[in-house]
Amino acid sequence: MEFLRPATWDEALAAKAEYPTALPISGGTDVMVEMNFDVHRPSALLDLNRVTELSDWSITDDVVRLGASVSYTRIIEELSGPLPGLALAARTVGSPQIRNRGGVGGNLGGASPAGDAHPALLAAGRDVFVEAHSVRGTRLIPIDEFYVGVKRNSLEQDELIRAVRIPVADGPQQFSKIGTRNAMVIAVCAFGFALHPRNGTVGTGIGSAAPTPRRAVEAEEYLQGVLAERGLWESGELLGTEVIQRFGELVKAAASPIDDVRGTADYRRHSLAVMARRTLTWTWNDYGKQIRSAA
């Protein structure tokens, strides 16, 4: 096995161009597990730990540019304000040691349906983009087009993830996850939810309940219609049980889970409906408080 250790981003891109099958590694929290269990034996490893740019983040024009290797711990400590949904998801990742090493770039690269970052990224809105770089140039991949199959993404073989561009939250966001225990667990299913009052939309993200992370599009459209028709964005009044229940059922219908060792398909659907109702209630209560305090 070749071991490539570039010192700069340009060197990393050149190495990926020369060895397109090389597997990038930074935190290694997923890669090393698969290698230790002989699930994956790449021809080469591309160690990105010396590429310091990948651990930077910045905010410009209300958009966070999150470096691929910014750790989950730093997301929690430094970005809970602008990226509350992602920070909540980061809190559920593994142990403190894993959160200190792992980052969103690795989650995206692995593209596992159970990745904790995916529901939060989808819920953050359709203006979330993955920066894919190669020696040929840079392209921005919309988050909705990034996941193409089970553990498969839309990166070309010579491309590396440099960063993710995520709009700064303009409303409350939530994340909920169910596992077989309270910590150090792969999600049985997960759900991300966000309110976007600036443009009158809501965002959803379903994890570990379909071949890829996905939105609950009909649920989003239903809730957006109710909020607009009833003037609830302006009033912040209660949604009512019927709306919350219907939203949960539409989220449940959007999933296409399987039975596996962690849970049954029926359990996943039921859990998603419960999580959808709860996260909607939590975020809307927070939004109502914001409206009343601003009045």
Side-chain angles (χ1 to χ4, degrees), residues 22 81 87 121 123 131 138 163 183 214 222 224 226 243 252 263 273:
L121 293 175
E131 277 189 29
T138 302
R214 63 169 58 164
Y222 165 74
Q224 287 164 189
V226 169
V243 172
K252 172 182 174 179

Side-chain angles (χ1 to χ4, degrees), residues 7-28:
T8 67
W9 182 238
D10 287 341
E11 288 181 7
L13 295 180
K16 186 61 171 166
E18 185 176 354
Y19 298 88
T21 60
L23 182 64
I25 181 171
S26 181

Side-chain angles (χ1 to χ4, degrees), residues 214-228:
R214 63 169 58 164
R215 297 182 187 278
V217 176
E218 288 190 24
E220 292 179 1
E221 293 174 347
Y222 165 74
L223 186 57
Q224 287 164 189
V226 169
L227 297 178

Side-chain angles (χ1 to χ4, degrees), residues 72-83:
Y72 291 115
T73 296
R74 290 184 58 204
I75 292 172
I76 296 165
E77 294 176 349
E78 302 170 22
L79 290 165
S80 290
L83 302 178

Side-chain angles (χ1 to χ4, degrees), residues 223-238:
L223 186 57
Q224 287 164 189
V226 169
L227 297 178
E229 290 168 11
R230 300 185 185 179
L232 295 176
W233 285 117
E234 293 75 25
S235 69
E237 294 179 358
L238 296 177

Side-chain angles (χ1 to χ4, degrees), residues 50 78 82 145 166:
R50 293 203 295 170
E78 302 170 22
E145 300 174 13
I166 312 166

Side-chain angles (χ1 to χ4, degrees), residues 9-282:
W9 182 238
D10 287 341
E11 288 181 7
L13 295 180
K16 186 61 171 166
E18 185 176 354
Y19 298 88
T21 60
L23 182 64
I25 181 171
S26 181
T29 56
D30 288 330
V31 170
M32 293 310 300
V33 171
E34 292 194 346
M35 290 182 61
N36 288 339
F37 282 94
D38 210 24
V39 175
H40 193 185
R41 189 62 59 179
S43 60
L45 281 178
L46 179 59
D47 180 8
L48 300 173
N49 279 287
R50 293 203 295 170
V51 183
T52 57
E53 306 99 293
L54 295 175
S55 298
D56 295 336
W57 65 265
S58 61
I59 299 179
T60 305
D61 297 329
D62 285 332
V63 173
V64 178
R65 186 170 183 259
L66 180 68
S69 295
V70 175
S71 70
Y72 291 115
T73 296
R74 290 184 58 204
I75 292 172
I76 296 165
E77 294 176 349
E78 302 170 22
L79 290 165
S80 290
L83 302 178
L86 186 60
L88 287 170
R91 290 180 181 276
T92 74
V93 174
S95 63
Q97 295 93 331
I98 291 173
R99 291 192 291 273
N100 286 340
R101 292 292 302 168
V104 172
N107 234 199
L108 288 165
S112 167
D116 294 317
H118 307 315
L121 293 175
L122 287 166
R126 298 183 185 274
D127 290 329
V128 174
F129 295 93
V130 179
E131 277 189 29
H133 291 232
S134 71
V135 293
R136 297 175 289 108
T138 302
R139 65 187 180 116
L140 298 180
I141 307 173
I143 194 66
D144 292 294
E145 300 174 13
F146 187 77
Y147 311 107
V148 296
V150 179
K151 295 189 175 182
R152 291 173 46 235
N153 58 49
S154 57
L155 291 173
E156 299 292 342
Q157 273 203 317
D158 64 341
E159 288 182 322
L160 294 171
I161 298 171
R162 167 65 180 84
V164 189
R165 300 186 186 185
I166 312 166
V168 170
D170 62 320
Q173 300 181 357
Q174 273 291 341
F175 175 82
S176 187
K177 169 181 171 179
I178 288 181
T180 53
R181 58 185 183 180
N182 286 335
M184 290 288 290
V185 65
I186 299 172
V188 173
C189 56
F191 185 71
F193 182 73
L195 295 170
H196 304 295
R198 188 177 299 147
N199 58 13
T201 64
V202 302
T204 60
I206 293 173
S208 204
T212 66
R214 63 169 58 164
R215 297 182 187 278
V217 176
E218 288 190 24
E220 292 179 1
E221 293 174 347
Y222 165 74
L223 186 57
Q224 287 164 189
V226 169
L227 297 178
E229 290 168 11
R230 300 185 185 179
L232 295 176
W233 285 117
E234 293 75 25
S235 69
E237 294 179 358
L238 296 177
L239 296 172
T241 303
E242 181 181 342
V243 172
I244 295 171
Q245 189 73 25
R246 178 60 177 159
F247 179 75
E249 290 303 308
L250 289 172
V251 169
K252 172 182 174 179
S256 55
I258 60 171
D259 297 327
D260 64 15
V261 294
R262 284 177 283 126
T264 65
D266 285 343
Y267 178 72
R268 285 183 162 99
R269 291 190 184 95
H270 170 75
S271 300
L272 281 168
V274 174
M275 289 190 290
R277 294 195 300 266
R278 289 178 179 176
T279 53
L280 171 57
T281 301
W282 296 335

